[in-house]
Each structure stands twice: as structure tokens, then as C-alpha cells.
Amino acid sequence: MWNIDEFLSGLNIDLDRLRDVFTYDPQAPMIFSSGIFLWLFVAFILVYLLLQRRTTARLLFVTLFSYYFYYKSSGTYFFLLGLVTVCDFFIARLMAREAIPWLRKAWVVLSLFINLGLLCYFKYTNFLGETFASLTGGTFTTDVYRRQITPLTSLLDYAFYVSFFPQLVAGPIVRARDFIPQIRRPLFVSNEMFGRGIFLIVSGLFKKAVISDYISVNFVERIFDNPTLYSGVENLIGVYG
């Protein structure tokens, strides 16, 4: 009988270590500049390219990857992302069908209560929870309430918008009326767009991993750990650093 542990052992692969790599570690959450994300992103791009002509499959794949990214960066909070997504999706649809003004207002108030309630709660328990609550679907329901957009008919499309991993943790906040019309637009990436994207990613990683981390570890942290050992000018430069 085939045994996966024996198979991996034969390949000299430590199953426990492999599991640790792909599960959430609160001491080392995944960020955009981490090695594990770069490897996962390469795999993501390859699959994404294979699905470029299959819109629904591509949206589903990106949504699942976004949820996994959020799990790797903040653990079980991705359940809250799903909860808010489902709540706001159905609230928006109910609100759009409602003709009585005060009932429409009641629906949008309920949506804001859910989103801001999570914000207020997690603001004092976890920074990522705060980020999550501030970036999710509250903008969608308010746009529907103001009749700036119509509610989506596909839960997948809305989940794709809410969970889109490039802006979920780091921002910027993107309003539904700007993002949603692009979801099912035919995919087109020119050589110029691709080259500019690669340039922005590489230059951003260089600024973060080389310049920022070097200044932080070798200069700023040393001064802030023992500011009395340094002059006023050096402390000021540490603040700027």
C-alpha cells in the first residue's frame, strides 16, 4: 500500500518541516518580502497564466490564493474575512431590492455595524484584524446604498474583490465602484505593462530588503535600544532613519 510519509522520506523531505512552511506561524507571518511568498508567487503566476482565458476559474484561483495568503499572514482571521464577505454580499442585494428609504438605510447601517464592530473589537487585540476590518466590504454596501453601483449577482466576484491579496494587508483601500467593473474585463497585459510591473516589484523589494532593513538593523535599532549612548544629532538621525 502506497504511503506518502515513506515516499517523502525516500525523497529526503521532512514532512513536519514541510507542514511548518505551509501553515501559519504567529512568530513569522508571511509578508510580501518573505522568501516563502516569492516562491508561492512564482507558482501563482504560472497557474494564473494557464487560466488567463478561463475567467471564472481564474477568479476562483486568485480568491483561494488570497485566502491562503491571508491565513499565512494572520492565521484564523481569514474566517472573519469570509463572514463579512457573505454578510455584505447579501445585505447589498436586499438593500438594492428595497423601495422603502428607511429600510434601505437600516440595511446599510447593519453593514456598517458589522464592519465597524469588527474594527472596534480587533483594534485592541490585533493590528491585522484592524486592517482587515478597514479594508473589507463596507465601501461596497455604501456604494450600493448611494446607487453608485448595482449589487453583484455572483458571490465569487464579490469575494474576489474583498480578498484580493495585493491590496488586502498593505492597501491602498480600493473602492468597489472602481474595482468591480474590472473583474470580468478581458485580460490584457502588454509587454510594457509587464515590464513596468516587474520593475516596480523588484525596486520595491530592493528598497525593503536592502535599504530599509539595513538602515533599521544597523542604525535605527541600535540607537533606539540605547539612546543615551548617542548624541542628540545621532538620535535625531535615528528618528529620520
Side-chain angles (χ1 to χ4, degrees), residues 207-228:
K207 292 175 183 178
K208 169 65 177 71
V210 178
I211 300 176
S212 175
D213 287 354
Y214 180 83
I215 292 174
S216 175
V217 173
N218 296 285
F219 187 72
V220 176
E221 290 182 4
R222 293 184 182 182
I223 292 178
F224 275 68
D225 285 343
N226 261 304
T228 56

Side-chain angles (χ1 to χ4, degrees), residues 8 11 21 30 50 72 75 120 122 147 151 179 189 205 235:
L8 293 174
L11 295 176
V21 169
M30 186 169 70
L50 292 175
K72 277 288 291 178
C120 293
F122 288 104
R147 302 189 189 279
F179 187 99
V189 180
L205 286 173
N235 274 273

Side-chain angles (χ1 to χ4, degrees), residues 4-15 17-18:
I4 188 172
D5 292 337
E6 293 178 359
F7 175 75
L8 293 174
S9 177
L11 295 176
N12 294 319
I13 297 176
D14 187 333
L15 189 59
R17 185 176 180 182
L18 188 66

Side-chain angles (χ1 to χ4, degrees), residues 68-110:
Y68 177 72
F69 174 83
Y70 196 68
Y71 160 72
K72 277 288 291 178
S73 63
S74 56
T76 56
Y77 286 106
F78 77 95
F79 282 115
L80 297 176
L81 185 66
L83 173 65
V84 170
T85 298
V86 172
C87 288
D88 282 340
F89 175 79
F90 287 106
I91 287 174
R93 290 179 62 80
L94 290 169
M95 181 169 52
R97 292 200 299 261
E98 185 57 64
I100 303 174
W102 71 267
L103 283 177
R104 293 188 74 253
K105 186 173 293 185
W107 283 120
V108 76
V109 168
L110 176 61

Side-chain angles (χ1 to χ4, degrees), residues 18-25 30 36-37 40-41 60-75 78 81 163 165 168:
L18 188 66
R19 188 183 297 113
D20 291 340
V21 169
F22 288 100
T23 55
Y24 171 64
D25 180 1
M30 186 169 70
I36 179 64
F37 173 76
L40 287 173
F41 187 66
L60 179 61
F61 170 67
V62 176
T63 301
L64 292 175
F65 183 86
S66 297
Y67 270 80
Y68 177 72
F69 174 83
Y70 196 68
Y71 160 72
K72 277 288 291 178
S73 63
S74 56
F78 77 95
L81 185 66
S163 65
F165 74 92
L168 181 64

Side-chain angles (χ1 to χ4, degrees), residues 160 167 216:
F160 176 88
Q167 58 90 35
S216 175

